[in-house]
Amino acid sequence: MSLQVEHLTVYYQTLRGDVQALEDATFTIEDGEIMGLAGESGCGKTTLGHSLIRLVPPMRYVRGKVKIDSEELPIWGMEEMNPFRFKKISIIPQYAMNAMNPTRKIGKMTEELLESRKVSFSDTLPELKRRLDMVELTHDVMNMYPIELSGGMKQRMVMVLSTLMDPTLLIADEITSALDVSTQKAVAEMLVEFRNRECCNSVMLITHDLSILYQIADTIMVMYAGQLSEKAATHTMIHSPRHPYTKLLISSLPKVGVKYAEKRLKGIPGSPPLLLDPPIGCRFRERCPVAFDKCLDVPPFLEIEKDHLVACWKEFERDA
Amino acid sequence: MRRYFSRKLLIYILTFFLAVTIDWLIPRFMPGDPVQNMLSRAMLRADAAEVMYGYYTKAFGLDVPIGQQYLNFWNALFHGDLGTSVYMFPTPVTKVLLRAVPYDIFLLIPSILLSWYAGNKFGAYAARSKWLDNTVSPLGYVLTATPYMWLGILLAWFFGIVLGKFPIAGAYSFNLVPHLSWMFIWDVLKHWFLPFASLFLVGFGGQAIGMRNMIIYELEADYSHYLEALGAPRSLVRKYAFRNAVLPQITGLALSLGVIVAGALVTEVVFSYPGIGYLLLAAIQNQDYFLIQGCFLFIIIGVLFANFVIDIVYLLIDPRTRTGMMGETA
Ligand SMILES: Nc1ncnc2c1ncn2[C@@H]1O[C@H](COP(=O)(O)OP(=O)(O)O)[C@@H](O)[C@H]1O
Ligand code: SF4
Ligand SMILES: [Mg+2]
C-alpha cells in the first residue's frame, strides 16, 4: 500500500471563519495504482492534493494521519516535510504552466534544485535525458528559458522534473485541463507510461474531467463539497456506481462507450453548498433525491463490496 | 537584437526631438522680452537702448522669421552652441552649464547608486524578518513620501544649524580657492554631504519599500511554491525570489529617474549647491531664457541617457526581454 490517509481534515483560515474544504478523508492508494480524483470545481480536490505535500497558511491542519510506504508523513510541518518531498511524494501542480522560474534556464534550474537536495546533477543527467525522450522533448530544452516552451512542452517538462526522484506517490493536479484535446490524450498516456516504467509508484490524478479518467485511471474516487463520496475501480464506477451523487454524475455524462468524450462534470440541479458554513451530516443532502432523516449524521466511508467504498446511509440500509 | 535596438533608438531619438522642440518653444512663449530685460538692467538712455536692442536682437538671432530661428537652433545645437547667457553675459550658455554639470554628477550618481543598492539590500532583508519589517517598512514609507525640499530643509536645520556640524550652502567654503589638498577635499565633502544625504534618504526609502513588496510577491509566485513543494531549501527559494525581484526594481529606477533629477534640482536650491538646479533658479529669476533653455536641454539629455543605459542593463540581465525580442524578429 503506498498511501494511507486517515481522518484527514484540512480547513482554510479566513477572516470570515474556517472554510471546511476537506473533512475526515480516509482512503488508501495501492502500489502502482492510478487513482483518479474527481468532483466538481471547488469540492476540495486541490486541497487534498496540496495538504499531502505542502500544507501552508491559509491552510490549516486540523486532524488526521498520512502514511506513505508505512512511514508517517509530518504534513503539518513545513520544514519536517522536506526530506519526503520530491523523493517520496511529488506533485505536478495545477499551475504547471508557471511552475518554473522564468529567469533561469531549465537545465540550470534543475541543477540548482537537485544540488540543493544533495543529489548530483551529473549522475542524474543520463536518466533525465532518457525521460525527456519519453515525453518527446528535445534535450535542447535544458538550454531554454520556460518562456521559450509551449504550454504542452512546459507541462511535460514539469512532469519530468517532478518525477525525477522516482517518488512513491505522484500528485498530478489538472494536468490536462490547460491543454487542447489532442495533447490531453498524449499527456495522459505519458503519465501511464511513467507509472509503467516505475518513474513513480502510484498516482493521484486530480481532474474535473471524467473522460480522461476513463482512459487511464485504475480507480476513481469522487468527492463532494469536501467529503469523500465513493471510491471504486474505474469500470465499477462507470457501470455500477452506488452513491446518489456519483449516479447523477455518471448519468449526466454522454454514453460511457464514447470513451474520449470531452464532456465535463456538470448539470445536476442545485449547487454545492458553501464550505464556510457547510450543512451538517451528509453535505449532498439538499440535492439528494433519496435523502432521509438519518442523513443529518455524517455517513462513514465504508467498503460495501471489495474495493468499493461509499459514504451513503441509503446504500448502507440497502446492503444491510 | 539589432531590430530591437534600432526600435529603441528610434523611440529615444523621437523623444529627444520632441522634448527639445518643447524646450525651444518655452522661452519664446514665455511672457517678457529677454533682450529688453537685459537692457533695462543696464539703465541706458532711451536712444542708446534702442540701438542696443537692435544689436542684441541680431546677436541672439531673434531678428529672423520664427521657422528660421527653429532651424538655426538645431544647427547651432549640433555645433554645441546654445546661445549666450543674458545673466552672465557674454559667457556662452554651454560654458556656464559645463561648469555646473560636474556638481550634478557628483551629487546624483552616488546618491542614485547607493540608495538603490542599500535600499534593495535592506528591503530584501526586511522581507524576511518580521521585526525588521515592522520597523523599516513604516520608516521607508515616511522617507519616500517626504518631499525632497522638506527633508533638505530639515537636515540643513538640524545638522547645519542646531548641531553646526555641516555647512549648508555652496560647494566649498567661500574663503577657499579650489586647489588640490586634503583640506580642500574635506571641505568639498562636507558641503556635499547634506544634499547627498537628503537625496539618498528619499531614494533609499522608496527602494526599500519597493524591494520588500516585490520579494514578498515573488515568494508567493507559482515557481516559488513549486520549489517549496519539491523540498528546496529556503535559501534557494529566496535566491530566486531576490533575483526576480531585482529586475522590476531596475525598471523602477528608470521610471523614477525624472523624479530624482527634479529632487536634485530642488535640493540644490535648498543648499545653494551650484549644479544645474541652482543655475536654473538663477536663470528663472533673471529671465535668462537661453540659460533656462540650456538647463532643460541638459536635463533632457541626462534623463534620456540614463534611461537608455538602464534599458540596456535590463536587456542584458532579463532573459524574458531577450527571448521576447528574439520572438519578435522570428
Ligand atoms: N486560499 C483559500 N482561502 C480560502 N478558501 C479557499 C482557498 N483555496 C480554496 N478555498 C476553498 O476551498 C474549497 C476547495 O477548493 P479546491 O481544493 O481548490 O477545489 P478543487 O481543486 O476541487 O476545485 C473551495 O470551496 C474554495 O473556495
Ligand atoms: S447519505 Fe443521505 S443525503 Fe447523503 S447521499 Fe446518501 S441518501 Fe443522499
Ligand atoms: Mg483544483
Side-chain angles (χ1 to χ4, degrees):
Chain A
M1 211 179 303
S2 69
L3 180 77
Q4 245 178 307
V5 175
E6 283 168 29
H7 307 296
L8 184 59
T9 303
V10 173
Y11 295 164
Y12 287 95
Q13 287 178 296
T14 71
L15 291 175
R16 292 165 55 216
D18 284 342
V19 176
Q20 303 175 18
L22 185 65
E23 195 70 58
D24 202 29
T26 301
F27 66 96
T28 58
I29 299 182
E30 299 296 327
D31 285 333
E33 177 178 338
I34 295 184
M35 183 193 84
L37 180 58
E40 284 160 286
S41 197
C43 71
K45 305 181 297 293
T46 298
T47 309
L48 172 54
H50 277 178
S51 66
L52 298 179
I53 188 164
R54 183 177 168 275
L55 205 163
V56 292
M59 268 189 193
R60 181 165 71 87
Y61 168 83
V62 180
R63 77 186 83 86
K65 224 194 232 179
V66 178
K67 282 187 189 167
I68 198 150
D69 291 336
S70 309
E71 198 178 351
E72 182 161 353
L73 280 185
I75 58 164
W76 59 86
M78 190 61 199
E79 295 291 329
E80 290 87 339
M81 264 303 284
N82 267 347
F84 297 92
R85 293 188 176 118
F86 205 10
K87 296 178 177 174
K88 283 278 179 190
I89 181 167
S90 191
I91 186 169
I92 305 174
Q94 194 165 357
Y95 51 78
M97 296 299 151
N98 307 315
M100 290 181 285
N101 183 354
T103 61
R104 269 280 195 268
K105 284 187 175 159
I106 291 170
K108 185 83 188 149
M109 186 210 116
T110 310
E111 180 178 346
E112 286 175 328
L113 173 63
L114 287 175
E115 300 287 343
S116 83
R117 296 301 312 271
K118 308 279 181 288
V119 177
S120 156
F121 178 65
S122 46
D123 292 352
T124 319
L125 198 57
E127 183 60 25
L128 177 60
K129 288 184 172 161
R130 220 170 3 256
R131 296 200 182 173
L132 288 176
D133 294 337
M134 268 171 78
V135 298
E136 290 160 13
L137 284 175
T138 77
H139 298 177
D140 288 343
V141 290
M142 303 306 280
N143 282 318
M144 293 183 191
Y145 291 99
I147 197 177
E148 298 173 75
L149 273 59
S150 71
M153 288 166 83
K154 275 189 249 183
Q155 184 77 61
R156 282 176 281 155
M157 187 63 227
V158 171
M159 193 156 137
V160 169
L161 261 178
S162 294
T163 51
L164 212 46
M165 297 286 95
D166 300 337
T168 302
L169 177 72
L170 174 69
I171 301 161
D173 195 352
E174 306 279 9
I175 57 168
T176 56
S177 306
L179 307 175
D180 58 76
V181 183
S182 55
T183 8
Q184 274 182 3
K185 199 183 155 206
V187 167
E189 277 164 2
M190 283 167 188
L191 192 65
V192 178
E193 184 70 11
F194 267 58
R195 190 270 318 262
N196 293 348
R197 297 217 202 163
E198 295 179 352
C199 301
C200 55
N201 185 342
S202 49
V203 179
M204 180 196 271
L205 177 58
I206 301 175
T207 181
H208 61 270
D209 181 0
L210 272 181
S211 62
I212 224 79
L213 297 185
Y214 293 161
Q215 292 174 53
I216 65 165
D218 301 313
T219 59
I220 295 179
M221 183 161 85
V222 174
M223 284 181 76
Y224 182 82
Q227 291 174 331
L228 303 186
S229 307
E230 183 163 8
K231 184 183 178 205
T234 304
H235 186 268
T236 316
M237 195 65 122
I238 291 163
H239 295 285
S240 44
R242 299 286 295 268
H243 193 282
Y245 173 63
T246 324
K247 283 182 194 164
L248 283 167
L249 199 64
I250 303 284
S251 67
S252 75
L253 289 171
K255 273 282 141 289
V256 170
V258 191
K259 275 216 160 181
Y260 304 132
E262 309 141 38
K263 278 280 183 273
R264 304 268 154 90
L265 289 194
K266 62 149 207 270
I268 298 173
S271 54
L274 294 175
L275 301 182
L276 200 55
D277 184 20
I280 55 162
C282 176
R283 291 185 184 173
F284 188 54
R285 204 178 68 236
E286 280 157 22
R287 291 164 86 188
C288 180
V290 294
F292 62 118
D293 48 3
K294 189 116 178 83
C295 304
L296 284 171
D297 290 332
V298 178
F301 195 51
L302 295 180
E303 194 165 18
I304 54 170
E305 277 169 48
K306 180 154 170 36
D307 296 327
H308 192 160
L309 293 98
V310 173
C312 174
W313 292 118
K314 204 74 182 179
E315 288 301 307
F316 298 156
E317 280 197 344
R318 221 174 55 138
D319 270 26
Chain B
M1 194 85 162
R2 184 173 299 156
R3 200 180 124 167
Y4 177 84
F5 263 117
S6 46
R7 246 184 40 182
K8 271 267 168 214
L9 209 63
L10 186 73
I11 293 174
Y12 275 105
I13 289 171
L14 274 178
T15 316
F16 177 72
F17 178 77
L18 239 131
V20 170
T21 303
I22 293 172
D23 185 32
W24 174 80
L25 286 172
I26 294 173
R28 268 150 255 261
F29 285 90
M30 257 173 35
D33 180 335
V35 178
Q36 189 67 57
N37 184 50
M38 184 177 75
L39 290 179
S40 68
R41 282 197 294 176
M43 286 187 282
L44 296 171
R45 282 199 345 256
D47 53 340
E50 199 158 316
V51 176
M52 289 308 275
Y53 187 86
Y55 169 74
Y56 279 121
T57 309
K58 208 177 183 89
F60 289 130
L62 298 173
D63 56 339
V64 293
I66 196 102
Q68 188 63 43
Q69 279 185 39
Y70 182 63
L71 290 181
N72 289 347
F73 171 73
W74 274 105
N75 188 28
L77 190 64
F78 282 119
H79 292 95
D81 176 10
L82 297 172
T84 310
S85 167
V86 174
Y87 152 61
M88 295 197 201
F89 192 82
T91 324
V93 167
T94 317
K95 210 165 164 189
V96 179
L97 288 170
L98 284 179
R99 272 203 305 251
V101 164
Y103 292 108
D104 289 282
I105 293 177
F106 186 40
L107 202 53
L108 274 168
I109 297 214
S111 59
I112 291 176
L113 293 183
L114 285 176
S115 68
W116 192 83
Y117 180 80
N120 282 317
K121 266 263 174 285
F122 236 77
Y125 209 64
R128 70 169 79 162
S129 144
K130 257 243 138 46
W131 173 82
L132 215 63
D133 196 22
N134 289 337
T135 47
V136 172
S137 300
L139 187 73
Y141 277 113
V142 170
L143 279 179
T144 180
T146 313
Y148 285 98
M149 175 111 95
W150 272 35
L151 191 65
I153 291 173
L154 213 69
L155 288 180
W157 171 76
F158 188 73
F159 289 100
I161 295 170
V162 176
L163 295 184
K165 291 276 182 221
F166 288 95
I168 55 169
Y172 49 83
S173 301
F174 293 116
N175 54 7
L176 285 181
V177 178
H179 63 288
L180 204 61
S181 76
W182 288 119
M183 197 254 276
F184 184 70
I185 291 174
W186 180 239
D187 186 63
V188 166
L189 283 177
K190 267 171 81 173
H191 280 79
W192 168 82
F193 184 74
L194 284 183
F196 159 79
S198 49
L199 287 176
F200 172 84
L201 284 174
V202 176
F204 175 84
Q207 294 298 333
I209 293 294
M211 188 59 175
R212 171 201 171 264
N213 294 346
M214 273 321 295
I215 287 247
I216 287 174
Y217 174 82
E218 293 291 337
L219 284 174
E220 286 304 312
D222 287 337
Y223 69 86
S224 299
H225 289 173
Y226 183 57
L227 283 177
E228 283 175 10
L230 296 187
R234 290 165 91 83
S235 56
L236 183 64
V237 181
R238 285 246 164 75
K239 183 176 136 189
Y240 280 6
F242 179 81
R243 251 188 75 103
N244 293 351
V246 161
L247 298 174
Q249 287 294 92
I250 293 173
T251 338
L253 185 64
L255 289 175
S256 63
L257 219 60
V259 179
I260 297 174
V261 169
L265 301 185
V266 173
T267 306
E268 285 173 12
V269 170
V270 171
F271 290 98
S272 308
Y273 203 75
I276 298 273
Y278 185 66
L279 204 59
L280 186 60
L281 182 73
I284 291 172
Q285 280 169 344
N286 291 288
Q287 297 197 0
D288 185 343
Y289 299 132
F290 296 100
L291 192 53
I292 296 174
Q293 198 172 296
C295 288
F296 278 129
L297 189 75
F298 259 71
I299 295 168
I300 292 166
I301 293 174
V303 170
L304 282 180
F305 179 75
N307 262 294
F308 190 64
V309 170
I310 292 174
D311 260 352
I312 291 173
V313 170
Y314 196 77
L315 192 70
L316 292 179
I317 56 175
D318 189 348
R320 282 168 296 189
T321 43
R322 246 180 297 156
T323 48
M325 228 162 63
M326 284 186 237
E328 244 173 41
T329 43

